[in-house]
Coordinates of all heavy atoms in Angstrom, one line a residue:
V1229 N 3.1 6.0 -0.6 CA 2.9 4.7 -0.9 C 4.3 4.0 -1.0 O 5.2 4.4 -1.8 CB 2.2 4.5 -2.3 CG1 2.0 3.1 -2.6 CG2 0.9 5.3 -2.2
A1230 N 4.6 3.0 -0.3 CA 5.8 2.2 -0.4 C 5.4 0.7 -0.8 O 4.2 0.5 -0.8 CB 6.6 2.2 0.8
R1231 N 6.3 0.0 -1.4 CA 6.1 -1.4 -1.7 C 7.0 -2.3 -1.0 O 8.3 -2.1 -1.0 CB 6.2 -1.5 -3.3 CG 7.5 -1.1 -3.7 CD 7.4 -1.2 -5.3 NE 8.9 -1.2 -5.7 CZ 9.2 -1.4 -7.1 NH1 8.4 -1.7 -8.0 NH2 10.5 -1.4 -7.3
Q1232 N 6.6 -3.4 -0.6 CA 7.3 -4.5 0.1 C 7.3 -5.8 -0.8 O 6.1 -6.2 -1.0 CB 7.0 -4.7 1.5 CG 8.0 -5.6 2.1 CD 7.6 -5.7 3.6 OE1 7.3 -6.7 4.1 NE2 7.9 -4.7 4.4
P1233 N 8.4 -6.3 -1.3 CA 8.3 -7.4 -2.2 C 7.8 -8.7 -1.4 O 8.1 -8.9 -0.3 CB 9.6 -7.6 -2.8 CG 10.5 -6.9 -1.7 CD 9.7 -5.8 -1.1
I1234 N 7.0 -9.5 -2.1 CA 6.6 -10.9 -1.7 C 7.3 -11.8 -2.6 O 7.0 -11.8 -3.8 CB 5.1 -11.0 -1.7 CG1 4.5 -10.0 -0.7 CG2 4.7 -12.3 -1.3 CD1 3.0 -9.9 -0.7
F1235 N 8.0 -12.8 -2.1 CA 8.8 -13.7 -2.9 C 8.2 -15.0 -2.9 O 7.4 -15.5 -2.0 CB 10.3 -13.8 -2.3 CG 11.0 -12.6 -2.5 CD1 11.0 -11.7 -1.4 CD2 11.8 -12.3 -3.4 CE1 11.8 -10.5 -1.5 CE2 12.6 -11.2 -3.5 CZ 12.6 -10.3 -2.6
D1236 N 8.5 -15.8 -4.0 CA 8.0 -17.2 -4.1 C 9.3 -18.1 -3.5 O 10.3 -17.6 -3.1 CB 7.5 -17.6 -5.4 CG 8.5 -17.5 -6.6 OD1 9.8 -17.5 -6.2 OD2 8.2 -17.5 -7.7
R1237 N 9.1 -19.4 -3.7 CA 10.1 -20.3 -3.2 C 11.4 -20.1 -4.0 O 12.5 -20.5 -3.5 CB 9.7 -21.7 -3.3 CG 8.6 -22.0 -2.3 CD 8.0 -23.4 -2.5 NE 7.3 -24.0 -1.4 CZ 7.8 -25.0 -0.6 NH1 9.0 -25.6 -1.0 NH2 7.3 -25.4 0.5
N1238 N 11.4 -19.6 -5.2 CA 12.5 -19.5 -6.0 C 13.2 -18.1 -5.9 O 14.1 -17.7 -6.7 CB 12.2 -19.7 -7.6 CG 11.7 -21.2 -7.7 OD1 12.3 -22.1 -7.2 ND2 10.7 -21.4 -8.5
L1239 N 12.7 -17.4 -4.9 CA 13.2 -16.0 -4.6 C 13.0 -15.0 -5.8 O 13.7 -14.1 -6.0 CB 14.7 -16.1 -4.3 CG 15.0 -16.5 -2.9 CD1 16.5 -16.4 -2.6 CD2 14.4 -15.5 -1.8
K1240 N 11.8 -15.3 -6.6 CA 11.4 -14.5 -7.6 C 10.3 -13.6 -6.9 O 9.5 -14.1 -6.1 CB 10.9 -15.1 -8.8 CG 11.8 -16.1 -9.5 CD 12.9 -15.2 -10.2 CE 13.9 -16.1 -10.9 NZ 15.0 -15.3 -11.6
I1241 N 10.1 -12.4 -7.3 CA 9.1 -11.6 -6.8 C 7.8 -11.9 -7.4 O 7.6 -11.8 -8.7 CB 9.3 -10.1 -7.0 CG1 10.5 -9.5 -6.1 CG2 8.1 -9.2 -6.6 CD1 10.9 -8.1 -6.3
Y1242 N 6.8 -12.4 -6.5 CA 5.5 -12.8 -6.8 C 4.5 -11.6 -6.9 O 3.7 -11.5 -7.8 CB 5.0 -13.9 -5.9 CG 3.6 -14.2 -6.0 CD1 3.0 -14.9 -7.1 CD2 2.7 -13.8 -5.0 CE1 1.7 -15.2 -7.2 CE2 1.4 -14.0 -5.0 CZ 0.8 -14.6 -6.1 OH -0.5 -14.9 -6.2
A1243 N 4.8 -10.7 -5.9 CA 3.8 -9.6 -5.9 C 4.4 -8.6 -5.0 O 5.6 -8.7 -4.4 CB 2.5 -10.1 -5.2
Y1244 N 3.8 -7.3 -4.8 CA 4.2 -6.4 -3.9 C 3.1 -6.1 -3.0 O 1.9 -5.9 -3.4 CB 4.5 -5.1 -4.6 CG 5.9 -5.2 -5.3 CD1 5.9 -5.4 -6.7 CD2 7.1 -4.9 -4.7 CE1 7.1 -5.4 -7.5 CE2 8.3 -5.0 -5.4 CZ 8.3 -5.2 -6.8 OH 9.4 -5.2 -7.5
E1245 N 3.4 -6.0 -1.7 CA 2.3 -5.3 -0.8 C 2.5 -3.9 -0.8 O 3.7 -3.4 -0.6 CB 2.4 -5.9 0.6 CG 1.3 -5.3 1.5 CD 1.1 -5.9 2.9 OE1 1.8 -6.9 3.2 OE2 0.2 -5.5 3.6
L1246 N 1.4 -3.1 -1.0 CA 1.5 -1.7 -1.0 C 1.2 -1.2 0.4 O 0.2 -1.5 1.0 CB 0.6 -1.1 -2.1 CG 0.8 -1.6 -3.5 CD1 -0.1 -1.0 -4.5 CD2 2.3 -1.3 -3.9
L1247 N 2.2 -0.4 1.0 CA 2.0 0.2 2.3 C 1.8 1.6 2.1 O 2.6 2.2 1.4 CB 3.4 -0.1 3.1 CG 3.8 -1.6 2.9 CD1 5.2 -1.7 3.5 CD2 2.9 -2.4 3.8
F1248 N 0.9 2.2 2.8 CA 0.5 3.5 2.6 C 0.1 4.4 3.8 O -0.4 3.7 4.8 CB -0.6 3.7 1.5 CG -1.9 2.7 1.8 CD1 -2.9 3.3 2.5 CD2 -1.9 1.5 1.3 CE1 -4.0 2.5 2.8 CE2 -3.0 0.7 1.5 CZ -4.0 1.1 2.2
R1249 N 0.3 5.6 3.7 CA -0.1 6.3 4.9 C -0.4 7.8 4.3 O 0.2 8.3 3.4 CB 1.1 6.5 5.8 CG 0.9 7.2 7.2 CD 0.0 6.4 8.1 NE -0.3 7.0 9.3 CZ 0.6 6.9 10.5 NH1 1.6 6.1 10.4 NH2 0.3 7.5 11.5
S1250 N -1.4 8.5 5.0 CA -1.8 9.8 4.5 C -1.0 10.9 4.8 O -0.5 11.7 3.9 CB -3.3 10.0 5.0 OG -4.2 9.2 4.4
N1251 N -0.5 11.1 6.1 CA 0.3 12.2 6.4 C 1.0 11.9 7.9 O 0.7 10.9 8.5 CB -0.4 13.5 6.5 CG -1.8 13.4 7.4 OD1 -1.5 13.1 8.5 ND2 -2.8 13.6 6.8
A1252 N 1.9 12.9 8.2 CA 2.6 12.7 9.4 C 1.8 12.7 10.7 O 2.1 12.0 11.6 CB 3.7 13.7 9.5
Q1253 N 0.7 13.5 10.6 CA -0.2 13.6 11.8 C -1.2 12.5 12.0 O -1.8 12.4 13.1 CB -0.9 15.0 11.8 CG 0.0 16.2 12.0 CD 1.0 16.5 10.8 OE1 0.5 16.3 9.6 NE2 2.2 16.9 11.0
D1254 N -1.3 11.7 11.0 CA -2.3 10.8 11.0 C -2.1 9.7 12.0 O -1.1 9.1 12.1 CB -2.3 10.0 9.7 CG -3.6 9.4 9.2 OD1 -4.5 9.3 10.0 OD2 -3.7 9.1 8.0
N1255 N -3.0 9.4 12.9 CA -3.1 8.4 13.9 C -3.4 7.1 13.4 O -3.4 6.0 14.1 CB -3.8 8.7 15.1 CG -3.3 10.0 16.0 OD1 -2.1 10.1 16.1 ND2 -4.2 10.8 16.4
F1256 N -3.9 7.0 12.1 CA -4.2 5.8 11.5 C -5.4 5.0 12.1 O -5.3 3.9 12.4 CB -3.0 4.9 11.3 CG -3.1 4.3 9.8 CD1 -3.1 5.1 8.7 CD2 -3.2 2.8 9.6 CE1 -3.1 4.6 7.5 CE2 -3.2 2.4 8.4 CZ -3.2 3.2 7.3
N1257 N -6.4 5.8 12.6 CA -7.7 5.0 13.0 C -8.4 4.5 11.7 O -8.0 4.7 10.6 CB -8.4 6.0 13.8 CG -8.8 7.4 13.0 OD1 -8.8 7.3 11.9 ND2 -8.8 8.4 13.8
E1258 N -9.6 4.0 12.0 CA -10.4 3.5 10.9 C -10.7 4.5 9.9 O -10.6 4.3 8.6 CB -11.8 2.9 11.5 CG -12.7 2.3 10.6 CD -12.2 0.8 10.0 OE1 -11.2 0.4 10.6 OE2 -12.8 0.3 9.1
N1259 N -11.1 5.8 10.2 CA -11.3 6.8 9.2 C -10.1 7.0 8.4 O -10.2 7.3 7.1 CB -11.9 8.0 9.9 CG -13.3 7.9 10.6 OD1 -14.1 7.0 10.1 ND2 -13.6 8.6 11.5
S1260 N -9.0 7.3 8.9 CA -7.9 7.6 8.2 C -7.4 6.4 7.4 O -6.9 6.6 6.3 CB -6.7 8.0 9.1 OG -6.2 7.0 10.0
A1261 N -7.6 5.2 7.8 CA -7.3 4.0 7.0 C -8.2 3.9 5.7 O -7.7 3.7 4.7 CB -7.4 2.8 7.8
D1262 N -9.4 4.3 6.0 CA -10.3 4.3 4.8 C -10.0 5.4 3.9 O -9.8 5.1 2.6 CB -11.8 4.7 5.3 CG -12.4 3.6 6.2 OD1 -12.0 2.5 6.1 OD2 -13.4 4.0 6.9
Q1263 N -9.6 6.6 4.3 CA -9.2 7.7 3.5 C -7.9 7.4 2.7 O -7.8 7.6 1.5 CB -9.0 9.0 4.2 CG -8.7 10.2 3.3 CD -9.9 10.4 2.4 OE1 -11.1 10.7 2.8 NE2 -9.6 10.6 1.1
A1264 N -7.0 6.7 3.4 CA -5.7 6.4 2.8 C -5.9 5.4 1.7 O -5.2 5.5 0.6 CB -4.7 5.8 3.8
T1265 N -6.8 4.4 1.8 CA -7.1 3.5 0.9 C -7.8 4.0 -0.4 O -7.4 3.8 -1.5 CB -8.0 2.3 1.4 OG1 -7.5 1.7 2.5 CG2 -8.1 1.3 0.3
Y1266 N -8.7 5.0 -0.2 CA -9.3 5.8 -1.3 C -8.3 6.6 -2.0 O -8.3 6.7 -3.2 CB -10.4 6.7 -0.7 CG -11.6 5.9 -0.3 CD1 -12.2 6.0 1.0 CD2 -12.3 5.1 -1.1 CE1 -13.3 5.3 1.4 CE2 -13.5 4.5 -0.9 CZ -14.0 4.6 0.5 OH -15.2 3.9 0.8
D1267 N -7.4 7.3 -1.3 CA -6.4 8.1 -1.9 C -5.5 7.2 -2.7 O -5.0 7.5 -3.9 CB -5.5 8.9 -0.9 CG -6.3 9.9 -0.2 OD1 -7.4 10.4 -0.9 OD2 -5.9 10.5 0.8
L1268 N -5.1 6.0 -2.2 CA -4.2 5.1 -2.8 C -4.7 4.7 -4.3 O -4.1 4.8 -5.3 CB -4.0 3.9 -2.0 CG -3.1 2.8 -2.5 CD1 -1.7 3.1 -2.6 CD2 -3.3 1.4 -1.8
V1269 N -6.1 4.4 -4.2 CA -6.8 3.9 -5.4 C -6.9 5.1 -6.5 O -6.4 4.9 -7.6 CB -8.1 3.4 -5.1 CG1 -8.9 3.1 -6.5 CG2 -8.0 2.0 -4.4
S1270 N -7.4 6.2 -6.0 CA -7.6 7.4 -6.9 C -6.3 8.1 -7.3 O -6.2 8.4 -8.6 CB -8.7 8.4 -6.2 OG -8.1 8.9 -5.1
N1271 N -5.5 8.4 -6.4 CA -4.3 9.2 -6.8 C -3.2 8.3 -7.3 O -2.3 9.0 -8.0 CB -3.9 10.1 -5.6 CG -4.9 11.0 -5.0 OD1 -5.8 11.3 -5.8 ND2 -4.8 11.5 -3.9
T1272 N -3.1 7.2 -7.0 CA -1.9 6.4 -7.3 C -2.2 5.4 -8.4 O -1.7 5.6 -9.6 CB -1.4 5.5 -6.1 OG1 -1.1 6.4 -5.0 CG2 -0.1 4.9 -6.4
F1273 N -3.1 4.5 -8.3 CA -3.4 3.5 -9.3 C -4.0 4.1 -10.6 O -3.5 3.9 -11.7 CB -4.3 2.4 -8.9 CG -3.6 1.6 -7.7 CD1 -4.3 1.2 -6.7 CD2 -2.3 1.1 -8.0 CE1 -3.6 0.4 -5.7 CE2 -1.7 0.3 -7.1 CZ -2.3 0.0 -5.9
L1274 N -5.0 4.9 -10.4 CA -5.8 5.3 -11.5 C -5.0 6.4 -12.3 O -5.2 6.5 -13.5 CB -7.1 6.0 -11.1 CG -8.1 4.9 -10.4 CD1 -9.5 5.5 -10.0 CD2 -8.3 3.6 -11.3
A1275 N -4.1 7.2 -11.6 CA -3.4 8.2 -12.2 C -2.0 7.6 -12.8 O -1.6 7.9 -13.9 CB -2.9 9.3 -11.2
L1276 N -1.4 6.6 -12.1 CA -0.1 6.1 -12.5 C -0.1 4.8 -13.2 O 0.7 4.5 -14.1 CB 0.8 6.1 -11.2 CG 1.3 7.2 -10.6 CD1 2.0 7.0 -9.3 CD2 2.2 8.0 -11.5

């Protein structure tokens, strides 16, 4: 999980877009995108 800042007009960070990937072999098709989102929610947000 990486984060890319989103700025407002005053160059203050308004939000972060969370960029995620499951593993190196992942071709990131629909199924892997689904799984990555589930993992992001369960392993990252709910835990951290």
Side-chain angles (χ1 to χ4, degrees):
V1229 182
R1231 58 180 195 172
Q1232 188 171 111
I1234 295 170
F1235 294 89
D1236 64 16
R1237 285 169 159 254
N1238 298 314
L1239 284 179
K1240 301 291 185 183
I1241 292 182
Y1242 166 71
Y1244 288 97
E1245 178 166 8
L1246 300 180
L1247 311 166
F1248 49 93
R1249 189 71 178 267
S1250 290
N1251 53 59
Q1253 289 72 41
D1254 209 344
N1255 291 322
F1256 221 61
N1257 54 32
E1258 181 74 8
N1259 291 335
S1260 66
D1262 291 343
Q1263 185 61 58
T1265 306
Y1266 286 121
D1267 288 343
L1268 178 72
V1269 171
S1270 60
N1271 297 342
T1272 305
F1273 291 135
L1274 301 184
L1276 290 172

